[in-house]
Amino acid sequence: MDIVPAKRSKRKTEAHESPKMSILFVASEAVPFAKEGGLGDVVGTLPKFLHAMGHDVRIVIPRYYRVDKEKYGLKMIAGPMGVWMGVIGMMWCAVYEARLPGSGVPVYFIEHENFFGRDSGLYSKDGKGFLDNDNRFVFLSRAALELCKTLFFKPDVIHVHDWHTAIVPVFLNTAYRYEPLLGDSATLLTIHNMQHQGDFYRGLMDVLDIGREHFNPRGLEFYGRTNLLKGGLYHATLLNAVSPTYSQEIRTPAHDWRLGGVLRERASDLYGILNGVDYEEWDPETDRLIAANYSESDLSDKAICKQDLQKEFKLHERPEVPVIGMVSRLVRQKGIDILAGAIHRMMSWDVQFVLLGNGEPWAHHFFSDLCSKYPGRFGCYIGYSNPLAHKIEAGSDFFLMPSRFEPCGLNQMFSLRYGAVPIVRAVGGLNDTVENYDDQTGDGTGFKFNDPTPEAIIGTTGWAVHLYYNRREAIEGIVRRGMRKRFTWEGSAKKYEELYLRAVKKRIGDARFNERFK
Ligand code: ADP
Ligand code: GLC
């Protein structure tokens, strides 16, 4: 059968004339189908913007149990499709297709009951990671490549995300190097979080079946184990992190999780592109999940949202008291243990605090207990709720993110738009998106602190609360400046497009690049 040229989207932005590429996203999550964190937001949003620019972009994710076939109109398009798993042998999957809602982007779902048919979290159950996460995501990665062959789809670029799919670039340089459809594909590995690396036992090499010679320090070997992220960092054509600051931080011991050496080696191929915000979802002027809509030119109805939030969390309905909000995975990364050391001092002020999140069990108990300790002043919901996340952004005066590290962070960008002044630690994407308030000039969009300590949280939040009570006009200026800021996906998608082109050129060379896109 002939190789069918990839279909191109007809929708183009007018002034946009750069070459149109075929781009395959391979990832472990994508909104609205399955999400545990910001990774899912990025994978479910960026492709829509690339599609609108005229690229043929498609997504591969697992068909988790929670992906409702009827609701999203999934149709089976292939199967049984064989996926070689080395010593385990051939394993089989079915493939379903749907469209990313609100766009024409095809999404392919890899269905394999044993791996993905679990009624649980995507990676764990009751806080315990699945013991077969190695096989689950190696299977997904290899299935995505097999699917390209099945569909005769020839991607110019395969864009992979974090450790789950970091093995794809390794496969393309080994087992698939001479596949006519795939050997030329460039790869971009986006680092959303270096902490999680897919660090597994040595024997995983026999499942990968790419040759033992790749088990070496400049390949997959990492302290005697098989590290999938490390393999991807060495093999991907290009790399990027989800903010400029994080792309620098991960080259240093404080943030490199022991992989700084690889990143320093690949420094000239490592970029930083800030995530965008989906303003169709997150805009107080149009948001349907909040009690009233408001804008920077008329903030009066934000008070209705504040009252609604106070009601929702059973707080005293006092308009004059500052509400500090937080929406977060309750894990060490987010600095919640540091917050735990600061919260009693903060609650000694006349403030209210609202927290939404889930994660480590100790934190569930600790923060739930604060509701009875500070009735009417501390509100907490342990769990996941998108409507509540919107209400907190709209109803809060301040939004706290004391992260130990934050590759990008989305909530501080939502907060700016909603006029909930961010108070953040100056790391990663938080540093890139929030401008510290300058008392001399009156400039700034939020408050930043450097040290990961309770004292720093208390000091900076205390300063913000002081301004709220004593110099409200300063806070109002910060709110308005923040609301005017935009972190659009259009801007970030343009940067990704440049990176894809650079990657393709690097993979196939200038001459073939010119031939391909003439
Ligand atoms: P991370 O991916 O590290 O968790 P991000 O800030 O990039 O951090 O993204 C977190 C996303 O998940 C945001 O869209 C945020 O609103 C959402 N989120 C996190 N926890 C919850 C929760 N408990 N309920 C609702 N949304 C949540
Ligand atoms: C990760 C990071 C977060 C980032 C998100 C999306 O989950 O922890 O900071 O915003 O990925 O890139």
Side-chain angles (χ1 to χ4, degrees):
M1 196 191 281
D2 287 341
I3 294 172
V4 183
K7 268 188 285 168
R8 298 272 142 67
S9 159
K10 298 236 163 43
R11 277 203 296 150
K12 280 188 192 172
T13 46
E14 277 170 15
H16 201 80
E17 282 170 14
S18 45
K20 302 298 169 249
M21 290 170 275
S22 309
I23 305 160
L24 185 70
F25 277 59
V26 189
S28 56
E29 43 183 281
V31 287
F33 309 106
K35 156 174 162 178
E36 289 216 347
L39 167 65
D41 287 306
V42 174
V43 176
T45 313
L46 172 59
K48 286 196 229 172
F49 289 84
L50 294 165
H51 182 79
M53 290 160 83
H55 299 293
D56 177 7
V57 49
R58 311 177 187 197
I59 305 173
V60 178
I61 58 169
R63 210 295 280 187
Y64 295 109
Y65 179 77
R66 67 170 75 165
V67 178
D68 188 329
K69 284 185 185 166
E70 299 224 324
K71 181 172 166 199
Y72 295 114
L74 267 65
K75 295 206 173 51
M76 197 198 275
I77 56 158
M81 187 178 83
V83 178
W84 180 245
M85 292 287 281
V87 278
I88 301 174
M90 192 64 91
M91 297 184 87
W92 303 89
C93 62
V95 184
Y96 287 77
E97 179 180 350
R99 299 281 141 157
L100 197 59
S103 83
V105 176
V107 184
Y108 303 118
F109 298 87
I110 304 298
E111 182 171 78
H112 180 94
E113 192 60 25
N114 264 346
F115 283 155
F116 304 121
R118 299 174 191 175
D119 183 12
S120 61
L122 305 185
Y123 316 113
S124 61
K125 185 167 181 137
D126 302 328
K128 291 200 183 72
F130 294 127
L131 293 176
D132 59 354
N133 274 340
D134 48 355
N135 291 341
R136 295 172 82 218
F137 292 104
V138 167
F139 181 81
L140 169 72
S141 302
R142 199 151 185 160
L145 299 180
E146 286 305 315
L147 181 62
C148 291
K149 288 163 52 183
T150 303
L151 298 178
F152 295 97
F153 179 62
K154 187 174 178 17
D156 294 303
V157 184
I158 304 187
H159 187 171
V160 299
H161 300 262
D162 276 352
W163 74 264
H164 317 93
T165 51
I167 196 65
V168 167
V170 182
F171 281 141
L172 285 174
N173 283 351
T174 55
Y176 290 77
R177 187 70 183 102
Y178 299 104
E179 282 287 346
L181 271 168
L182 294 168
D184 280 351
S185 297
T187 47
L188 175 66
L189 168 57
T190 294
I191 304 162
H192 298 260
N193 192 326
M194 284 278 292
Q195 180 180 9
H196 307 291
Q197 302 186 353
D199 182 42
F200 298 110
Y201 71 123
R202 184 187 179 123
L204 183 59
M205 290 304 293
D206 297 329
V207 177
L208 299 175
D209 198 21
I210 52 173
R212 277 287 175 127
E213 68 275 21
H214 294 283
F215 191 75
N216 76 68
R218 301 182 109 226
L220 290 140
E221 191 272 341
F222 187 64
Y223 296 95
R225 292 165 63 80
T226 305
N227 185 306
L228 298 179
L229 182 64
K230 184 175 178 189
L233 294 178
Y234 267 117
H235 283 267
T237 316
L238 292 180
L239 309 168
N240 83 296
V242 287
S243 68
T245 295
Y246 194 58
S247 77
Q248 296 297 329
E249 287 171 341
I250 52 180
R251 303 166 207 218
T252 66
H255 292 280
D256 72 357
W257 301 92
R258 304 199 292 178
L259 283 176
V262 190
L263 292 170
R264 286 193 295 277
E265 241 179 87
R266 297 223 52 200
S268 60
D269 292 327
L270 171 57
Y271 296 80
I273 301 180
L274 202 62
N275 292 330
V277 169
D278 188 348
Y279 289 108
E280 280 181 22
E281 291 289 317
W282 295 94
D283 185 342
E285 291 184 40
T286 51
D287 192 335
R288 298 221 195 140
L289 297 172
I290 60 180
N293 293 118
Y294 58 91
S295 66
E296 67 262 37
S297 55
D298 181 8
L299 272 160
S300 48
D301 284 352
K302 186 167 165 68
I304 300 177
C305 297
K306 181 165 172 177
Q307 187 183 27
D308 177 59
L309 180 67
Q310 289 172 323
K311 215 180 246 154
E312 180 82 45
F313 281 88
K314 300 192 173 53
L315 305 178
H316 303 309
E317 290 176 39
R318 292 174 57 208
E320 74 285 4
V321 66
V323 175
I324 304 170
M326 195 163 165
V327 178
S328 181
R329 288 187 291 119
L330 300 179
V331 296
R332 225 179 107 80
Q333 174 192 343
K334 304 291 177 181
I336 48 142
D337 50 326
I338 313 174
L339 173 66
I343 193 72
H344 292 296
R345 281 278 298 284
M346 290 161 72
M347 294 311 293
S348 70
W349 312 326
D350 193 11
V351 297
Q352 296 181 348
F353 203 107
V354 177
L355 175 89
L356 164 65
N358 55 2
E360 291 168 13
W362 75 264
H364 295 182
H365 297 300
F366 180 86
F367 290 108
S368 303
D369 285 352
L370 295 179
C371 297
S372 41
K373 192 160 172 50
Y374 302 108
R377 300 184 51 229
F378 191 96
C380 166
Y381 179 85
I382 300 295
Y384 189 93
S385 163
N386 187 46
L388 281 184
H390 283 251
K391 277 177 190 275
I392 293 177
E393 295 288 2
S396 300
D397 298 293
F398 296 104
F399 195 94
L400 184 62
M401 294 181 74
S403 303
R404 278 208 164 68
F405 68 96
E406 196 60 77
C408 179
L410 299 176
N411 277 111
Q412 81 282 8
M413 298 194 268
F414 304 155
S415 302
L416 287 166
R417 184 72 193 108
Y418 281 74
V421 175
I423 302 173
V424 303
R425 176 145 185 258
V427 285
L430 299 176
N431 196 40
D432 292 334
T433 51
V434 177
E435 294 152 36
N436 199 19
Y437 172 65
D438 182 333
D439 203 30
Q440 299 297 316
T441 62
D443 289 339
T445 57
F447 296 88
K448 298 204 258 195
F449 56 92
N450 285 309
D451 298 336
T453 59
E455 292 71 28
I457 298 179
I458 291 165
T460 306
T461 311
W463 163 228
V465 169
H466 169 83
L467 288 175
Y468 186 90
Y469 275 121
N470 299 296
R471 295 199 359 235
R472 185 65 68 85
E473 71 294 346
I475 296 293
E476 284 167 2
I478 298 172
V479 166
R480 290 214 159 78
R481 270 191 300 281
M483 289 183 78
R484 284 197 291 269
K485 284 265 164 221
R486 291 291 184 282
F487 301 94
T488 64
W489 267 118
E490 280 89 351
S492 304
K494 189 87 197 64
K495 291 186 180 148
Y496 272 104
E497 181 189 61
E498 282 165 27
L499 215 50
Y500 295 149
L501 286 171
R502 205 182 276 258
V504 176
K505 212 176 241 181
K506 184 164 185 233
R507 180 79 174 175
I508 63 179
D510 286 0
R512 290 183 54 219
F513 179 90
N514 294 337
E515 180 64 20
R516 165 76 181 88
F517 293 113
K518 69 176 177 231

